[in-house]
Amino acid sequence: MAWASVNGIRIHHESQGSGEPVLMVMGSGSRGRVWDLHQVPTLTAAGYRVITFDHRGVPPTDECADGFTLDDMVADTAALVEHLGIGPCLAVGTSLGAQILQELMLVRPELISRAVLMATRARTDTMRRALSAAEIDLHDSGLRLPPRYAAVIQAIQNLSPRTLADGEQIQDWLDLFEVSAPTRPGTRVHMGFSTMPDRTRAYRDIDHPCQVIAFGDDMITPPHLGEEVANAIPGASFELIQGCGHYGYLEDPEQVNKTLIEFLRLEG
């Protein structure tokens, strides 16, 4: 285990491979090691050094259960890049991780060279705001869903109909979700990040090459929200990968990894 003491907390991080560094920024509530299943092996085989880490609120990084903000997480990411001495670096983020990178490119543009932004958005629409509020109300009520029920809801929200219809695949996912349901103090703080102000106008000031990837069956961040980010960032590219939900980088890693490698290898 490697640790960085930054911003008054300890952040757990891992580095694999050698070559040009790529910082991988995971979404809300998930460990950085999720990238290890598909993206890390592909990127290290392609000659990159891949850095993954766990956000505050996600053990073994400090949980900070008393509260923290998105700005804190952006500052953590910046401090980790500086601690490792890898800036300006290539970066890949998904969901909340992509939003962190978007904000980082505004406040500390010298730390990032180019970025892939998956399952991202520049604002919260009415349905996603309602979903976030409902999840927070459920959490704050003290009611805890049976793990099996919570696993089914997580699958419906994050996976594509194609995966849901595959009996063997979906059983594996349900088993995984059932044993990994988050119960950490930092979980409640992360829930609040699902609602964000409209940052569309602000993202017009991002001056970095960016590749936005949206997933056709994503219920958490539908494709039209990702396309809005691509349209806001000058020169950004947009790719829609069909047949995937919010976890598209796990459902179709071959296509996602192909796009990652092609974009990261571009010059300029």
Side-chain angles (χ1 to χ4, degrees):
M1 281 189 168
W3 299 89
S5 295
V6 298
N7 296 341
I9 66 168
R10 292 200 318 156
I11 293 179
H12 170 254
H13 62 92
E14 299 285 352
S15 178
Q16 301 180 59
S18 60
E20 187 175 7
V22 180
L23 181 71
M24 308 291 288
V25 190
M26 184 40 66
S28 179
S30 295
R31 297 258 340 249
R33 67 185 181 187
V34 174
W35 296 116
D36 290 354
L37 188 59
H38 297 295
Q39 281 68 51
V40 171
T42 296
L43 289 169
T44 55
Y48 293 100
R49 173 190 174 195
V50 184
I51 296 96
T52 60
F53 69 102
D54 300 316
H55 294 296
R56 65 168 68 203
V58 181
T61 290
D62 291 347
E63 294 190 66
C64 307
D66 292 338
F68 49 92
T69 66
L70 180 62
D71 288 343
D72 291 326
M73 300 178 77
V74 173
D76 292 343
T77 307
L80 180 61
V81 171
E82 292 181 313
H83 172 82
L84 296 173
I86 59 174
C89 66
L90 304 168
V92 178
T94 188
S95 193
L96 176 64
Q99 294 171 42
I100 289 171
L101 287 177
Q102 288 155 202
E103 298 298 328
L104 182 60
M105 287 186 286
L106 289 175
V107 298
R108 296 294 306 276
E110 75 280 7
L111 297 179
I112 303 297
S113 57
R114 59 175 56 236
V116 177
L117 310 167
M118 295 191 286
T120 192
R121 57 187 170 181
R123 63 183 178 91
T124 303
D125 64 8
T126 301
M127 188 60 205
R128 261 41 66 174
R129 184 175 293 106
L131 176 60
S132 175
E135 288 179 335
I136 289 172
D137 284 349
L138 176 63
H139 181 279
D140 291 351
S141 73
L143 177 65
R144 293 294 175 262
L145 298 175
R148 186 182 304 176
Y149 184 85
V152 170
I153 296 302
Q154 187 176 358
I156 291 172
Q157 288 183 341
N158 291 283
L159 301 174
S160 67
R162 173 178 58 85
T163 299
L164 296 177
D166 186 316
E168 185 174 344
Q169 275 200 64
I170 192 56
Q171 189 58 59
D172 289 342
W173 280 103
L174 291 171
D175 292 343
L176 174 64
F177 291 156
E178 187 171 344
V179 299
S180 63
T183 57
R184 303 176 292 267
T187 300
R188 171 61 176 82
V189 182
H190 275 265
M191 286 180 176
F193 298 139
S194 295
T195 300
M196 64 182 295
D198 191 335
R199 300 287 289 161
T200 307
R201 191 175 297 272
Y203 292 158
R204 295 174 186 171
D205 292 331
I206 293 177
D207 187 23
H208 294 71
C210 290
Q211 170 73 61
V212 177
I213 299 175
F215 302 116
D217 298 321
D218 191 343
M219 292 179 57
I220 305 299
T221 48
H224 71 273
L225 295 180
E227 191 167 12
E228 289 177 2
V229 174
N231 290 336
I233 298 174
S237 302
F238 177 75
E239 179 174 355
L240 176 62
I241 300 179
Q242 298 287 4
C244 295
H246 195 61
Y247 294 160
Y249 55 97
L250 299 176
E251 286 189 275
D252 192 353
E254 183 176 350
Q255 182 57 47
V256 169
N257 292 348
K258 179 176 180 291
T259 300
L260 292 184
I261 296 296
E262 290 177 350
F263 179 75
L264 295 179
R265 283 180 172 167
L266 291 175
E267 298 293 334

